[in-house]
Each structure stands twice: as C-alpha cells, then as structure tokens.
Amino acid sequence: MRIQAILAVLLMAIFTRASGGEIETGRKLILDQGCEQIVFASRGQVRDGHWYANIGYYSCDKDSKLYSNGGHLCILNLKTGAVDILLEDKNGTIRDPAVHYSGEKILFSYRKGHSENFHLYEINTDGSGLEQLTSGSYDDYEPSYQPDGGIVFVSTRAKRWVNCWLTQVGTIYQSDSKGQNVRQLSPNLEHDNTPWTLPDGRVMYQRWEYIDRSQMVFHHLWTMNPDGTEQKIYYGNMHPGGVLIDAKPVPESEEVILIESPGHGRREHAGKVILLSNANGPDDLKSKKYLTSEDIYRDPYALSKDVFIAARGRDLVALNREGVELPAFQLPEKTFPKELSIHEPRPLIKHPRERMLPKRIDESKSTGTMLLTNVYIGQKMGSVKKGTIKKLLVMEALPKPINFTGGMDPLTYGGSFTLERLLGTVPVEEDGSAFFEVPANRSVFFIALDEKEDSVKRMHSFTSVMPGEMLSCIGCHEKRTTVAEPAKALPLAATRAASKIRKIDGIPEVFDFPRDIQPILDKHCVQCHSPAQRDGGILLTGDRGPMFSHSYFNLTIHGQFADGRNRTHANYEPYEIGAASSPLMKKLNGEHYGAQLSPGEIKKIRYWIESAAVYPGTYASLGSGMIGGYQQNKQELNNDSQWPTSLKGAEAIKRRCASCHTKKSRLPLNLSDERDISFWKPEPHDKMLQTARHIVFNLTQPEQSLILLGPLSKQAGGEGACTSSGKDGKSKPIEIFKDSQDPDYQTILAMIRAGKDKLNEVTRFDMPNFKARPEYIREMKRFGILPESFDPAKEKVNPYQLDQRYWQSLWYQPEVGK
C-alpha cells in the first residue's frame, strides 16, 4: 500500500508541473509519511571550500574566521507552508538541529553573535526554554541524542589541527543530557563528523584518516559503540575517493542514506544523495545506490524506507528510492536573505529510542588490551610463511598543535604529514597470535617484523582502545566478511597475561633527521658525497637548502627509503614498503664501497624509515626556517621572488643558463622557485628533481651551491659540468664561468647569500638560536602547555620537550577514585 501511495503522489506530480503545484505535491509526499513538521537551520555560506572548515579560525590569522554570520532555527508546517522561527541571530550561526525522542525538544549547535565558539543548546519546540549545555573556549557541534539520555557530538576539545590544512580538528565526544561529564571517544588526528545513533545502538560517523598514504581520499563511514569501544570500518576504507558523510538509518532496512561529497569533499558537505548497505562487507562497490546525479545536495534524512528529504541550496526537496525528486519548500526571500540556505532538515516527530548497549569500559584503567588471533590471516598475507613474524612494532601517530600548509612541508618531501612515535614492540607467538596492552584513547598502528626486524606488513590506518576495553581481531587486515574458524585450541597468546610494550634500546621515540641520522652520514658517507666529491651526483652533507638539508632531499628524490609517499595506494604486498624494501638499507653492510655501519647505526636508520623517514622531529618546525613553500601567506614564508637580489639573480641565471636548460631541465630562477613540480606527489627519480631549488642552492655554504659549481670551470674549483653538442653530435665542454669573479656568478652568489642571511634571521629547527613561530606559542598557551605570561622574547623554550608536554597532556588519565 505504501508503494502504491507513493506512486499516486508521483503521478500527481506529473500533472501539477505545468500549474506550479510541485511544491504542494512534495509536501503531500512528506505528509503521507506521517510527518507534519520539519525543523531546519538556515545560515550563510562559509568562506573555505573544505567540507570540515566551518568552525574556528585560520592558524596564521586568528582574526580570519571560518564561520558565516546570520542564521535561524526554524520549524516548517507542511500543511500550511508557514515557517515558525524559534531563534534568529543576525551576527551568530545556528546549525545541526536534532529532535529529541519525545518530539518536544531540539538539540543544536549555536555560536551567539559577536562570540567565537559554538556550544550545544537545547530548546523546546514552542521556542521556550532555551538552555546552553556546553561551554568553554572550544567548538561543540554536530550533536545527536543517545538512548541512555546522553549526547554524542563533535568537538575541537581534542586540541589539534588538521595535518594538511590551516584549521582545527573536531573529534567525537560524549556528555550527559546537560552537557556535563564530557568524555573523549575518538583519538583521531583528523576530523570525525556527523555522529548519529543507529537502531542497533552503534554510532555511525565519518572518519578521515591517513597513515603514510594520501591525505585527500580516505574519509569514509565508521561505527563505534556509544562508549567509544569497537571502532570499526563500516564502508569504504579500501576505496579512495569521496567523503561519505551525514549518514542516517533508513527505517525497516539495513541501509543508511548519506551524502557522497566528491573528491576531497565540498563546502558544507555538498554532494550526491546515496543509499548504502554493508550487508556484503565494507568493500563492495555495488552496495551504493545513487539517488541524485548532481553534487548539490546536503543533509538527507529518511522518513520511511522509500521516501527521503534533503536540502538543496534554499530548497527542501523530497526524494524517493528511484531518485524522483519533488520540491517541498523554498526559503522566502522576504524573511531569509538570499545568501542563506537550508541546512539539516529533520522531521519533528516522536520516535523510538535505539537499542541501549552495555558499557565495556573501565575508566579506572589507563590501558586496554588487544588480542590478535592469527597475523597470517589477512589481505595479501598468503605468501608469508607461518613463523616468519616475530614481533609487532607498535607506533603512535602524533597530533599537531598547529599547522600552516596544505602540504607536508617541512616534515617530509612528498611523504608523511605526521610525526610518529615508536612505542616499542610486542611478541608474536608461533601460531601468529599476540596479546598485549595498549595505552587508552591514542592513535596506534602496527608493523609486523620478522626475526631480522624487517617490516613484513604495515597498517595504513590507525586503531585505538578505550580504557579497560579488550579488542580482538582475526588477522592482519583480514576481510571483514571473514568468519573465524572454530578453534581447536586457544591462541597461544591468550593463554598468558597481556604483554606490555617493550621499548627499543638505543632508539629515540620520535626521530629527528639532523640530530639522529646526519651524524651517521657524516661519519660514513660524506667523504664520497660532498660538494668536493659528488660521487653518483649525490650530496649527503647536512648543508641547508631553502627548506631541507641536502642529504635529506637527496635520499628522498633518489628513492632511498620506501615510505609509501603521498599515494592513494595502501594495501601493499609483504616486504614492499618500509626498511626491508629501502635501497639505503642495502648500502650499510660494507658492500657499498666499504661503508660499514655499526649494528646500532643500522638500527637507527631502520627505525627512522619505519617511522615515516621525517626531517624535523618537532612540530615547532612547521611554517618556519624555510625560504618559499606551499603556505597561505607568502610574505611570512620568506618568498624571495621579489627580493632585489633574487630579481637580479634570476636575470643572471636566464642570461647564462636558459639557452641550454629548457623545459624539464629549466633551472630554478630563485630560492622559492618550485618550477611547477607537484610538492604533494613528487616521485623519486624524476629528472626535474635533480636540479630542484632544494639541492642547487646551499644556504650553509653559498659558494658550494651546485648552481655555481656546475658551470664554474674546473680550473677555478668548479665541476665544469656544462656541455654542448657539436656538429658531430658529440658533447663538448663549454665554459660558462671562467672564474668566480664573473659578474653573473657574483650576482647569483649574492642572491644565495641573501637567502642564508634570511635563514639565519628566521632560524630553522636545528639551529641553536631557533625561534618557533608565534602561532605555535599562542596555541601552546591556549592548550595550557605554556603559561599566559610566557614571553618568547625573554624566555627560551626547548621545542622537543614542549611537544612532548603537549602530547602527554592529551593522554587519558584515570580520575582519582574511579
């Protein structure tokens, strides 16, 4: 009968199009589902194009806000078409309404006019009883009621910044019905969004994450229990692309309705409306059914198994399962200025509470436990013989207290966006099982090691446990449709107490390339790989380029470590990624021109590669100590392209080099010139990288810059590397700079010396007089790590120690008496 009624309404729509009766037909379709009122928010368009960037401020400019001004909380009467405005604020922002089970209250997020933060509020459906539930200097938004009376929501209380942008992160929190007793449920380094309770009691949400893989394509659907336990993929983590967000359950089905926002996501979650079921597991691409073809919809909600509503600009639309769309309402311009749109339409009806799941946490504990049944069960693990894996290396992805760029600079060149901590190792038994403790509510991932400590297989996603939680899995990223076979006996690891993570002797928890790796290269490598003797065209000195040291950049562009890069690929073959497959490791045992490193030195290089092969070991390095780079404010970046010395230097390079160095062999014209190389995805062995700005300019010893040594005659101490083809087709040496007194040589040298002077002024993290950016200090004060009275002009701070204090402040600590 329901399908017949829907068909009748849709047939009616065909005859009412010409007469302008579509809106009435759309309203009737909604009314026929037992819904007479719709609550919604209206607000203006936010300035930033990212789906998540709608709260807070930009890191480099605290006065540059991301939210819009002007908004309403409204109730639409579908019978009359009238709109009742419950709350209006021309200078504030209203968002994310959720209807209470009783149908008599509305929970929402509200930033009052002339204030900075969003807090949770509740109001009666008649507009009375407005009550503020949460407070503080952080943003609370995207709330949802829970069946036990609590509230689940997203908050920036996590005190972290997006790893690849200039905005703050929101993760999932929980509170009681009055916004008190707030608990963190997710330790994600990136955004969680739009948590909503499913009929079975689990919470579904969007989770964005990337562990040593592309930052722009893994933002899919996950679930957790209401207490934060059992955080699991629901759909999509193996398939890059699209933001799956705003998921809500579909009545009388196993489906959810949601938005697929294209690519890296659109402003305010705009995208296609889709239906999705994970009945065939989280990786079945056939499980998606598209209801719309354009990426212009937001905030879908299921009224029944077959009828749905969604926002589309200023319109409320009704959709059916076949994608037929009818308008149901449009914001009247007389009341709602044209810059406002409809957001988060929800039926204002009484509805049953979801199933209540028992708590599985013990808040008196600071750890949880993990049981791995068999590490050899999993994707692409068939070739790994039983007994091969001896340990799991336990890693922690570390949150950022600030960020200034959409790239990964200066942490890596085209690799990780994140510092990683080596927590230590835990044993794997002969049957492939492991049972061990993990610190609660921290983002951890694992690397399977063999007896030589070579990496067999590694995770590219994080996991976590809540306090006292025991989490188990069948294997190493086994297919989620896999069912555990009946066990003949308990896994060996389950017959003993949980292992404690054992630290690795002689290895720093967080690596710093100049501090930990460069001394090894100085001892064993620079005699053959210096400006004076550049064997193989490789420099391994610690001299500073505009952003990286020459050694770090050379190891990167010559593919000497296999770190995964910023690629969309994640499910690698065994031994395909990490130290085991890194060419550098094969040059350390004496076979490479006699370079024989000690076991301790080899071990350091091995674990540096496993921990993402980063350049700095502190987040205080972000946005500092560089000339040029991918960031928002070029002046603060010290972009030298308009410096008088650089303008003259560019002309000298053009004059003396441009005739031979064309197209892909073109030389950088100044210290900031990337020459259109993709900073996000530079691939090793790209010929353009051999002459990148990061290697041809030496800001430690300007006279040793390759852009000067290459064309300088051998008699004058240069390489005399420039040649031209004669009539016979053979290359012949040509003299560009006869000696260092050449005026153009001196002009280019003056440009590089100016860069050195600027670098000494702004300082890099590995310099004795290093000064962190004021924004880094500002956030450390806001997070309570530094006192408000701290004055960096009068007091020095150790950035490595400050980062550690910041991370430790985020660790879960049991409350006394619990």
Side-chain angles (χ1 to χ4, degrees), residues 118 164 208 288 364 572 809:
F118 287 89
C164 62
W208 177 26
K288 291 192 290 187
S364 68
Y572 290 86
S809 75

Side-chain angles (χ1 to χ4, degrees), residues 158 160 171-174 182-187 441 466 810:
R160 57 200 64 187
T171 62
I172 296 180
Y173 281 73
Q174 182 189 60
V182 175
R183 295 176 55 247
Q184 184 179 9
L185 301 186
S186 167
N441 223 357
M466 294 298 288
L810 305 176

Side-chain angles (χ1 to χ4, degrees), residues 644-702:
T645 52
S646 292
L647 291 171
K648 292 177 182 178
E651 290 303 316
I653 293 170
K654 290 178 186 177
R655 190 162 45 244
R656 304 302 287 272
C657 307
S659 61
C660 293
H661 290 275
T662 61
K663 297 181 179 179
K664 284 201 169 185
S665 67
R666 178 176 80 80
L667 296 175
L669 298 179
N670 54 62
L671 307 178
S672 303
D673 185 7
E674 288 283 3
R675 301 173 303 158
D676 299 321
I677 297 175
S678 172
F679 191 86
W680 286 349
K681 296 184 179 180
E683 289 297 322
H685 310 295
D686 184 331
K687 288 186 177 181
M688 283 192 74
L689 294 174
Q690 312 304 314
T691 54
R693 71 187 185 98
H694 303 290
I695 192 64
V696 300
F697 299 117
N698 189 325
L699 303 189
T700 301
Q701 305 179 79

Side-chain angles (χ1 to χ4, degrees), residues 117-183:
N117 296 114
F118 287 89
H119 302 302
L120 301 187
Y121 285 76
E122 200 170 44
I123 193 171
N124 295 326
T125 55
D126 62 2
S128 66
L130 178 65
E131 182 181 5
Q132 181 175 340
L133 302 181
T134 62
S135 60
S137 59
Y138 302 100
D139 293 293
D140 302 324
Y141 54 105
E142 295 177 347
S144 173
Y145 285 111
Q146 293 188 295
D148 65 352
I151 299 168
V152 62
F153 60 99
V154 174
S155 179
T156 60
R157 297 166 187 258
K159 302 178 183 177
R160 57 200 64 187
W161 287 71
V162 174
N163 278 224
C164 62
W165 199 230
L166 300 86
T167 56
Q168 296 174 65
V169 166
T171 62
I172 296 180
Y173 281 73
Q174 182 189 60
S175 74
D176 61 24
S177 62
K178 294 298 183 181
Q180 305 302 303
N181 299 308
V182 175
R183 295 176 55 247

Side-chain angles (χ1 to χ4, degrees), residues 151-425:
I151 299 168
V152 62
F153 60 99
V154 174
S155 179
T156 60
R157 297 166 187 258
K159 302 178 183 177
R160 57 200 64 187
W161 287 71
V162 174
N163 278 224
C164 62
W165 199 230
L166 300 86
T167 56
Q168 296 174 65
V169 166
T171 62
I172 296 180
Y173 281 73
Q174 182 189 60
S175 74
D176 61 24
S177 62
K178 294 298 183 181
Q180 305 302 303
N181 299 308
V182 175
R183 295 176 55 247
Q184 184 179 9
L185 301 186
S186 167
N188 197 355
L189 270 63
E190 295 294 0
H191 277 274
D192 302 316
N193 283 102
T194 60
W196 201 267
T197 307
L198 298 174
D200 64 8
R202 293 179 298 162
V203 175
M204 177 170 285
Y205 61 103
Q206 182 276 144
R207 170 165 138 175
W208 177 26
E209 58 156 28
Y210 42 98
I211 301 292
D212 303 330
R213 59 178 178 173
S214 173
Q215 88 279 24
M216 298 183 69
V217 293
F218 294 101
H219 6 59
H220 298 111
L221 291 182
W222 290 68
T223 60
M224 65 168 68
N225 291 334
D227 60 0
T229 59
E230 286 285 332
Q231 297 184 22
K232 290 182 177 180
I233 181 65
Y234 180 85
Y235 185 85
N237 200 36
M238 295 297 292
H239 300 297
V243 178
L244 304 186
I245 200 164
D246 289 303
K248 306 290 185 293
V250 176
E252 301 177 35
S253 80
E254 294 183 352
E255 297 170 304
V256 292
I257 190 166
L258 65 143
I259 288 293
E260 182 181 81
S261 196
H264 191 39
R266 299 247 176 110
R267 182 184 286 112
E268 292 284 18
H269 310 178
K272 297 179 178 69
V273 180
I274 68 172
L275 288 169
L276 173 66
S277 169
N278 79 336
N280 295 322
D283 305 320
D284 183 12
L285 290 174
K286 298 178 182 178
S287 297
K288 291 192 290 187
K289 177 182 175 65
Y290 289 87
L291 302 188
T292 64
S293 58
E294 294 183 279
D295 300 313
I296 58 174
Y297 299 85
R298 299 185 307 276
D299 310 310
Y301 199 100
L303 301 178
S304 67
K305 184 178 179 181
D306 301 301
V307 177
F308 321 101
I309 56 174
R312 188 194 64 195
R314 293 174 62 83
D315 296 341
L316 172 71
V317 300
L319 300 162
N320 79 342
R321 181 170 284 272
E322 303 308 316
V324 177
E325 177 184 329
L326 289 170
F329 172 73
Q330 185 175 78
L331 289 177
E333 286 193 19
K334 185 176 181 180
T335 309
F336 299 88
K338 61 182 180 180
E339 65 270 16
L340 302 186
S341 298
I342 289 179
H343 293 267
E344 299 99 24
R346 321 282 197 221
L348 188 55
I349 55 175
K350 183 178 179 179
H351 53 283
R353 294 176 186 263
E354 301 84 5
R355 179 187 174 195
M356 287 181 57
L357 299 178
K359 287 188 176 182
R360 295 174 47 194
I361 62 172
D362 182 347
E363 293 180 272
S364 68
K365 298 184 180 299
S366 61
T367 63
T369 53
M370 290 188 173
L371 173 64
L372 168 63
T373 304
N374 188 347
V375 72
Y376 302 102
I377 298 175
Q379 300 190 38
K380 298 186 177 179
M381 291 294 289
S383 63
V384 182
K385 293 182 180 180
K386 212 162 198 179
T388 299
I389 297 171
K390 302 299 183 182
K391 304 174 187 175
L392 295 180
L393 177 60
V394 185
M395 306 289 297
E396 179 183 8
L398 296 169
K400 284 183 174 177
I402 193 71
N403 200 46
F404 301 99
T405 171
M408 60 288 291
D409 54 311
L411 292 184
T412 64
Y413 186 73
S416 177
F417 290 76
T418 310
L419 293 178
E420 297 171 0
R421 184 200 304 273
L422 289 107
L423 294 179
T425 62

Side-chain angles (χ1 to χ4, degrees), residues 447-450 453-457 574-580 610:
I447 302 171
L449 303 179
D450 65 15
E453 300 184 23
D454 281 339
S455 48
V456 182
K457 191 80 167 159
Y575 293 105
E576 188 180 355
I577 189 173
E610 299 299 1

Side-chain angles (χ1 to χ4, degrees), residues 497-768:
S499 302
K500 294 186 183 298
I501 298 172
R502 183 175 180 178
K503 290 188 176 183
I504 305 172
D505 293 337
I507 298 297
E509 287 189 344
V510 181
F511 270 95
D512 182 273
F513 182 88
R515 181 192 67 201
D516 302 316
I517 304 302
Q518 188 60 51
I520 301 174
L521 303 180
D522 289 342
K523 181 178 178 182
H524 297 282
C525 307
V526 297
Q527 59 264 42
C528 298
H529 298 288
S530 68
Q533 183 178 340
R534 193 162 59 99
D535 289 359
I538 307 289
L539 279 177
L540 292 179
T541 56
D543 290 350
R544 299 181 183 94
M547 187 178 293
F548 305 99
S549 70
H550 286 170
S551 53
Y552 182 82
F553 187 74
N554 267 278
L555 290 173
T556 302
I557 67 170
H558 290 283
Q560 291 302 295
F561 48 82
D563 63 339
R565 302 281 79 202
N566 184 32
R567 300 189 184 110
T568 58
H569 187 57
N571 188 21
Y572 290 86
E573 297 288 343
Y575 293 105
E576 188 180 355
I577 189 173
S581 56
S582 296
L584 179 61
M585 295 301 297
K586 298 174 177 60
K587 296 180 172 68
L588 310 180
N589 61 1
E591 296 180 8
H592 182 73
Y593 299 97
Q596 179 67 64
L597 277 65
S598 70
E601 291 169 331
I602 294 174
K603 190 176 183 180
K604 267 193 177 180
I605 291 177
R606 176 189 304 281
Y607 283 105
W608 168 69
I609 294 173
E610 299 299 1
S611 56
V614 296
Y615 178 44
T618 171
Y619 283 139
S621 65
L622 300 174
S624 66
M626 58 185 78
I627 310 295
Y630 174 68
Q631 296 188 27
Q632 183 141 328
N633 188 323
K634 288 188 175 182
Q635 184 177 358
E636 287 190 33
L637 278 176
N638 313 305
N639 186 300
D640 74 313
S641 59
Q642 298 304 309
W643 295 356
T645 52
S646 292
L647 291 171
K648 292 177 182 178
E651 290 303 316
I653 293 170
K654 290 178 186 177
R655 190 162 45 244
R656 304 302 287 272
C657 307
S659 61
C660 293
H661 290 275
T662 61
K663 297 181 179 179
K664 284 201 169 185
S665 67
R666 178 176 80 80
L667 296 175
L669 298 179
N670 54 62
L671 307 178
S672 303
D673 185 7
E674 288 283 3
R675 301 173 303 158
D676 299 321
I677 297 175
S678 172
F679 191 86
W680 286 349
K681 296 184 179 180
E683 289 297 322
H685 310 295
D686 184 331
K687 288 186 177 181
M688 283 192 74
L689 294 174
Q690 312 304 314
T691 54
R693 71 187 185 98
H694 303 290
I695 192 64
V696 300
F697 299 117
N698 189 325
L699 303 189
T700 301
Q701 305 179 79
E703 294 83 356
Q704 298 297 309
S705 296
L706 295 184
I707 203 165
L708 295 174
L709 290 178
L712 182 63
S713 69
K714 290 184 178 181
Q715 293 82 353
E719 294 184 353
C722 296
T723 61
S724 66
S725 297
K727 292 181 179 180
D728 57 1
K730 295 181 179 180
S731 294
K732 297 180 180 179
I734 58 173
E735 194 173 80
I736 302 299
F737 297 138
K738 181 179 180 180
D739 56 46
S740 60
Q741 299 308 307
D742 185 292
D744 283 338
Y745 176 101
Q746 288 294 321
T747 298
I748 299 170
L749 177 59
M751 174 179 72
I752 303 169
R753 283 175 171 166
K756 176 182 180 178
D757 292 342
K758 189 64 176 180
L759 183 57
N760 287 334
E761 175 191 333
V762 300
T763 69
R764 189 171 293 176
F765 68 94
D766 60 338
M767 292 179 169

